[in-house]
Amino acid sequence: MSDHLDAPDQSVVPTAAVADIGGAVPVPAHEPPYYAVVFTSVRTADQSGYGETADRMEELVRGVPGFLGMDQAQTPGGLSITVGYFRDAEALAEWRTDVEHRAAQKRGRAEWYERYTLHVAKVERSQAFERSHDGPVRETGQ
């Protein structure tokens, strides 16, 4: 078992999920199929320049046609999880091969990450739930 699971509070603490709605909310369910890219990481102690680069990567990925959104969370023990959603393989390939993104990946391996994993999955089913405080509960998806 990883060290990050030994933190006193093992709940997942949402960070600013990338959404146009104020606050931390999950990316809405989309009509399948689409792709989910799961990036799980543990970072180094020295994060010099990380925040600026992360902000720039968010700006860039939002410009990729077919980018659907991103969810982010971090455990108190330091495990970070980012899930990016892309409409199709072409959108994913455009992001994967972006020159600035490739340079940021290289710098990340050299400076910011102790370890990471990357998983790419084709989403075949997508469902959402949202509690309504003013009316009926809303569910979408299959």
Side-chain angles (χ1 to χ4, degrees), residues 2 4-5 12 40-43 73-81 115:
S2 302
H4 62 269
L5 294 177
V12 174
T40 307
S41 65
V42 176
R43 297 198 304 246
Q74 185 167 355
T75 67
L79 178 69
S80 295
I81 302 168
R115 64 182 55 86

Side-chain angles (χ1 to χ4, degrees), residues 95-130:
W95 176 238
R96 187 180 67 242
T97 59
D98 180 271
V99 174
E100 279 188 73
H101 182 214
R102 301 290 291 188
Q105 290 173 328
K106 185 175 181 179
R107 186 171 179 197
R109 286 188 295 273
E111 299 177 33
W112 299 318
Y113 297 111
E114 287 291 338
R115 64 182 55 86
Y116 68 79
T117 57
L118 180 72
H119 307 278
V120 179
K122 189 172 186 179
V123 176
E124 306 221 357
R125 182 170 171 256
S126 186
Q127 183 175 337
F129 166 85
E130 183 176 339

Side-chain angles (χ1 to χ4, degrees), residues 61-80:
V61 75
R62 284 178 175 269
V64 172
F67 173 71
L68 300 174
M70 180 182 351
D71 289 317
Q72 299 174 319
Q74 185 167 355
T75 67
L79 178 69
S80 295

Side-chain angles (χ1 to χ4, degrees), residues 30-38 66-69 83-93 119-124:
H30 292 280
E31 184 67 32
Y34 58 94
Y35 289 86
V37 178
V38 182
F67 173 71
L68 300 174
V83 183
Y85 303 96
F86 296 84
R87 172 53 51 208
D88 51 37
E90 292 77 21
L92 185 54
H119 307 278
V120 179
K122 189 172 186 179
V123 176
E124 306 221 357

